[in-house]
Amino acid sequence: MSALDLPGYTHVYSGKVRDLYAPVGADGEVVPDRLLLVASNRLSAYDWMMSPEIPDKGAVLTRLSLWWFDQLSDLVPNHVVSTDVPEAVGGRAVLVRKLEMLKVEAIARAYLTGGGLEEYREKGSVSGVVLPDGLVDGSKLPEPVFTPTTKAPVGEHDLPMSPAEVEAELGADVAAEVSRLTRAILARGNEIAAQRGILIADTKVEFGVSPDGSGGLVLADEVLTPDSSRFWPAELWEPGHPQPSYDKQFVRDWLTSTDSGWDRKAGGPPPELPAHVVEQTRAKYVEAYERLTGETF
């Protein structure tokens, strides 16, 4: 994950799939309230970084997030300042407001699957929210449920948080607003996506606040993309088993199949992704973008 040499910017941080750069002013000083957010083509699954990268992934995620920010602009303000970025990262970077990020992964679920399904089978609830009996893998929930987790450092696992833990971290008012907005974003996303034949099973969103404490919550990072959400083709939805999807579930499924030869529980790194998995994953990202936006990538 070597940093790019971007004239007028200095590298600040690299996460799993994003790199942050700070603009440098004519006086050589870092501009304090702006960041360049660059989406790489890296892909993580099961908290491991995959190799090789997925071509065009960063551009798809960036364009899709920008499209969604517009669709959600009446619900919540977002962090985008400009898409006028250095040529080297054109199409996969945005200039954004620098925010104090909340230390909670804000997740909402509209359908039961993944970690939520495991908890439901054990306890009949997800993140403390009691659900009806008889739900199966892929069942639609009565309404979107807020299921937050901790925000673990790279290489560590996010852990479920109870409502009390979220309140202790954020304060009661902010916790309530994060829950409301996360569920509202997923509900709006499904309203729009359903018309285009896509179900959004669950999603993770990131919120920040102005460093000076003014104003309310600001939607940051990415939103309703195949990396932050599970997208299912509506025409193939059939509760009772795992659903085919548009997201990196394709990579997860290959990793856990006998084809990969990888034992997730053994703790060792996963193998290289074969070319056909890389190509099909790229195609899935592009198809999700085109189907949702109606635009050709």
Side-chain angles (χ1 to χ4, degrees):
M1 289 197 266
S2 57
L4 296 167
D5 182 17
L6 298 176
Y9 290 87
T10 181
H11 179 253
V12 177
Y13 172 79
S14 286
K16 284 182 190 169
V17 295
R18 277 184 177 59
D19 303 304
L20 292 177
Y21 296 80
V24 178
D27 57 1
E29 295 293 314
V30 166
V31 178
D33 59 348
R34 296 284 182 265
L35 284 170
L36 185 72
L37 182 69
V38 180
S40 73
N41 292 328
R42 300 190 293 272
L43 183 135
S44 79
Y46 296 121
D47 292 321
W48 288 96
M49 297 312 302
M50 296 293 114
S51 177
E53 297 184 349
I54 308 298
D56 294 323
K57 175 175 169 277
V60 171
L61 295 188
T62 300
R63 277 168 64 170
L64 188 55
S65 284
L66 289 167
W67 184 83
W68 277 118
F69 283 137
D70 283 347
Q71 315 301 315
L72 301 166
S73 59
D74 61 314
L75 289 180
V76 59
N78 64 67
H79 68 163
V80 176
V81 174
S82 168
T83 52
D84 185 13
V85 298
E87 201 175 326
V89 290
R92 62 185 183 95
V94 279
L95 190 66
V96 301
R97 289 168 58 186
K98 187 175 183 180
L99 301 165
E100 296 274 341
M101 300 304 293
L102 303 188
K103 293 185 174 66
V104 168
E105 294 279 24
I107 296 166
R109 301 174 186 276
Y111 295 80
L112 190 62
T113 193
L117 177 67
E118 288 168 30
E119 189 189 328
Y120 171 76
R121 283 175 174 160
E122 229 173 273
K123 305 176 182 169
S125 62
V126 176
S127 294
V129 179
V130 178
L131 297 175
D133 290 340
L135 300 181
V136 294
D137 194 350
S139 287
K140 187 171 200 250
L141 300 177
E143 57 189 1
V145 174
F146 182 56
T147 61
T149 68
T150 57
K151 201 178 273 191
V154 173
E156 292 181 31
H157 290 283
D158 298 337
L159 300 170
M161 292 178 83
S162 69
E165 288 170 325
V166 178
E167 284 192 12
E169 177 65 53
L170 302 178
D173 290 352
V174 175
E177 184 65 353
V178 167
S179 170
R180 184 189 72 78
L181 278 174
T182 305
R183 289 177 289 124
I185 288 165
L186 181 56
R188 172 69 62 83
N190 265 317
E191 237 172 75
I192 292 169
Q195 301 162 16
R196 296 157 166 84
I198 288 178
L199 308 177
I200 305 175
D202 47 44
T203 196
K204 179 186 81 178
V205 290
E206 303 260 3
F207 295 105
V209 291
S210 282
D212 63 4
S214 67
L217 293 173
V218 179
L219 183 57
D221 201 40
E222 62 180 327
V223 63
L224 297 170
T225 69
D227 263 22
S228 66
S229 322
R230 278 190 180 92
F231 289 168
W232 295 341
E235 70 276 9
L236 300 176
W237 176 55
E238 184 185 64
H241 56 81
Q243 310 299 310
S245 73
Y246 279 108
D247 51 41
K248 57 188 179 184
Q249 194 62 39
F250 196 82
V251 171
R252 292 191 192 109
D253 290 346
W254 179 80
L255 286 172
T256 52
S257 73
T258 50
D259 291 353
S260 77
W262 183 53
D263 178 5
R264 186 184 163 195
K265 295 190 169 63
E272 290 260 315
L273 299 175
H276 73 274
V277 172
V278 172
E279 281 159 27
Q280 284 169 310
T281 300
R282 179 197 177 275
K284 279 285 178 207
Y285 276 91
V286 170
E287 188 187 338
Y289 172 83
E290 293 184 340
R291 202 162 168 179
L292 279 166
T293 65
E295 297 163 13
T296 304
F297 178 71

